[in-house]
Amino acid sequence: MESRRILLAISGGIAAYKAPELVRTLRRAGHEVRCAMTPEAARFVSSLALQAVSGETVRSDLFDAGEEGEIDHIGLADWADLIVVAPCTANLLAKMAHGLADDLVTAVLLATKAPVLVAPAMNVNMWSHPATQTNLEILRGRGIRFVGPDSGELACGWEGLGRMSDPGVIAEAAAIELVPETLAGQVVLVTAGGTAEPIDAVRSVTNRSSGKMGFAIASEAARRGADVVLIAGVTSLETPHGVRRVDVQSALEMRDAVFAEFEAASIVVKAAAVADFRPIEASDRKIKKEQLDEGASMTLELVQNPDILQEICSRKENRTIVGFAAESHDVVAAAQRKLARKGCDLIVANDISRADAGFEVDENAVLFVWPSGEVEELPLLPKTGVAAQLFDRIGKLRDSGDS
Ligand code: PMT
């Protein structure tokens, strides 16, 4: 890999003692490394040690005229191709989530345009606290990437999640973050989340899609330099960094939004769980129980929604179009039938009967089903990892001119 500029931001946890080893690992991979520390980090690791292994002056004081004169905090934020925050304490995570900038590290993190990779390290109860988990969701939504924490014996004496990942693992994650902008100049259209088909003013027919899979795909495309339009159905997720979002509710609204953006798109990925049917008519007022006889049943008549994927595939031209298939049984055969019927370049099939993959969870286990008949089975991966594998395949497909 070509040499890149990495800023290592260190906060005040016991795992800071691993920072010099991380600097050495990153430098061995050929990168230029500078270090910035919070005032608390200096209690766990010496700036002299970091200076010795990085070969660079270590910055720690936002208001030190000498330090600022050498390289100011905005200059440091601009200098980095990637910022690695390791270890990241619960306190720093909270400050990042809420945009605080009360020391050098937080000021740099607020000012940077570079991607940020975070290696959390904290007590297991601090990690699982709802406040920390909410902060994580906020940061994930902004495109911040995470490596770890690992599970094991913690410095505080507790066992569980909270150990900072090993320097070698963090360096590998950094290499993934430094992926070149192979999608620069491409417009990528992604759909995500479920649709909600109105029954009346308060009720709808919907499904369990959280949007996580599609949002990870949009985020990955943006990371690779694409102009990304994300058409989001029902979801509570934050818009990923660098992504333009269009919110919709029903399948018909999603269809309109897809067609409004389709002309400019060169790559389309349809990860949304679009309802196949909608109530034939929706009441604009709440249907009252009293309108029915006591104990009477109510019948909802449904009509088919348009198949958006199939429609766009019929106007494909030189675009690359990827569909998903959510299957509960006979996954491969069903995905192959969908691929043939809809006419896309690739189907990403997932077995939604698994509890650890598919809807709602952070991981997915997918199969890439190709028109040639080839089927590639991927292991259980974070949805971000599935997204990265997907764009690797899309890149090859476009390079080969087969899409
Ligand atoms: O959102 P998450 O909680 O992260 O969950 C991820 C996921 C399980 C929703 C995702 O991985 C997934 O499988 N998405 C597709 C769900 C789906 O609708 O599958 P399907 O087999 O019913 O549809 C096949 C394809 O046709 C999909 O690309 C779908 O977007 C598209 N479609 C379906 C119906 C329709 N009327 N129009 C469409 O375009």
Side-chain angles (χ1 to χ4, degrees):
M1 175 178 277
E2 63 175 302
S3 169
R4 305 293 291 277
R5 295 188 295 219
I6 299 178
L7 176 67
L8 176 60
I10 306 159
S11 63
I14 180 69
Y17 81 90
K18 293 184 189 168
E21 191 189 337
L22 178 55
V23 173
R24 291 184 60 188
T25 313
L26 292 169
R27 289 198 71 195
R28 269 202 298 272
H31 303 300
E32 250 181 273
V33 183
R34 287 182 176 169
C35 297
M37 311 161 81
T38 64
E40 296 77 23
R43 297 168 184 255
F44 296 95
V45 61
S46 87
S47 81
L48 201 58
L50 291 164
Q51 186 176 318
V53 287
S54 67
E56 299 277 351
T57 309
V58 175
R59 287 229 40 200
S60 60
D61 190 346
L62 182 58
F63 302 107
D64 184 299
E67 281 190 18
E68 277 286 299
E70 212 167 304
I71 174 164
D72 71 294
H73 62 284
I74 301 296
L76 203 54
D78 292 344
W79 171 86
D81 293 320
L82 172 71
I83 300 187
V84 177
V85 187
C88 183
T89 58
N91 182 49
L92 180 54
L93 205 68
K95 285 184 175 181
M96 288 170 72
H98 298 284
L100 269 69
D102 61 352
D103 62 22
L104 177 83
V105 164
T106 47
V108 167
L109 285 166
L110 200 59
T112 193
K113 289 276 179 207
V116 176
L117 173 70
V118 171
M122 64 195 74
N123 164 268
V124 59
N125 296 334
M126 291 169 101
W127 173 252
S128 59
H129 194 286
T132 303
Q133 291 301 313
T134 304
N135 292 333
L136 269 176
E137 283 306 312
I138 292 173
L139 293 169
R140 280 205 182 103
R142 287 187 201 141
I144 305 284
R145 300 296 185 124
F146 288 86
V147 49
D150 293 346
S151 195
E153 193 183 328
L154 305 175
C156 55
W158 281 74
E159 285 266 335
L161 272 179
R163 280 171 68 91
M164 187 176 87
S165 297
D166 287 338
V169 174
I170 298 174
E172 274 172 29
I176 294 170
E177 290 313 306
L178 289 166
V179 68
E181 295 199 337
T182 47
L183 293 177
Q186 305 285 340
V187 177
V188 176
L189 174 57
V190 181
T191 67
T195 63
E197 310 300 322
I199 298 171
D200 66 10
V202 294
R203 305 178 181 95
S204 61
V205 177
T206 187
N207 59 60
R208 287 168 43 214
S209 173
S210 64
K212 286 180 180 172
M213 188 66 253
F215 275 56
I217 290 167
S219 171
E220 180 64 23
R223 209 164 62 89
R224 294 184 186 219
D227 285 338
V228 185
V229 187
L230 172 62
I231 298 178
V234 181
T235 170
S236 56
L237 299 178
E238 283 207 24
T239 311
H241 183 70
V243 166
R244 180 162 67 83
R245 170 174 178 164
V246 179
D247 283 309
V248 297
Q249 288 281 308
S250 66
L252 293 180
E253 286 175 18
M254 184 169 279
R255 179 181 180 276
D256 288 348
V258 167
F259 276 103
E261 304 291 344
F262 183 66
E263 203 48 44
S266 46
I267 298 170
V268 183
V269 184
K270 288 213 76 263
V274 185
D276 286 320
F277 303 94
R278 68 176 185 279
I280 194 160
E281 55 182 357
S283 166
D284 53 9
R285 308 178 71 176
K286 182 179 177 190
I287 301 171
K288 300 267 193 216
K289 206 165 86 176
E290 300 83 70
Q291 289 171 235
L292 302 173
D293 292 337
E294 183 70 29
S297 60
M298 181 185 164
T299 306
L300 264 188
E301 196 177 343
L302 304 175
V303 286
Q304 278 195 34
N305 272 324
D307 189 318
I308 309 166
L309 180 59
Q310 196 161 340
E311 279 190 64
I312 58 171
C313 284
S314 68
R315 305 181 198 182
K316 187 169 147 346
E317 297 175 355
N318 54 1
R319 295 176 185 86
T320 303
I321 302 186
V322 178
F324 268 68
E327 309 295 343
S328 56
H329 55 282
D330 297 335
V331 177
V332 172
Q336 281 170 332
R337 283 196 298 276
K338 253 173 209 169
L339 182 73
R341 193 172 72 246
K342 304 207 185 205
C344 40
D345 294 296
L346 167 64
I347 283 272
V348 182
N350 39 200
D351 179 351
I352 45 122
S353 68
R354 285 178 62 154
D356 59 351
F359 286 115
E360 295 166 325
V361 291
D362 290 332
E363 297 188 319
N364 208 356
V366 303
L367 299 138
F368 290 142
V369 179
W370 297 95
S372 63
E374 191 194 341
V375 176
E376 274 183 80
E377 184 168 1
L378 270 61
L380 186 68
L381 290 172
K383 285 179 175 168
T384 50
V386 172
Q389 296 277 344
L390 176 61
F391 281 109
D392 287 351
R393 302 305 187 286
I394 291 174
K396 284 193 192 131
L397 199 63
R398 292 185 70 81
D399 289 348
S400 71
D402 279 349
S403 65

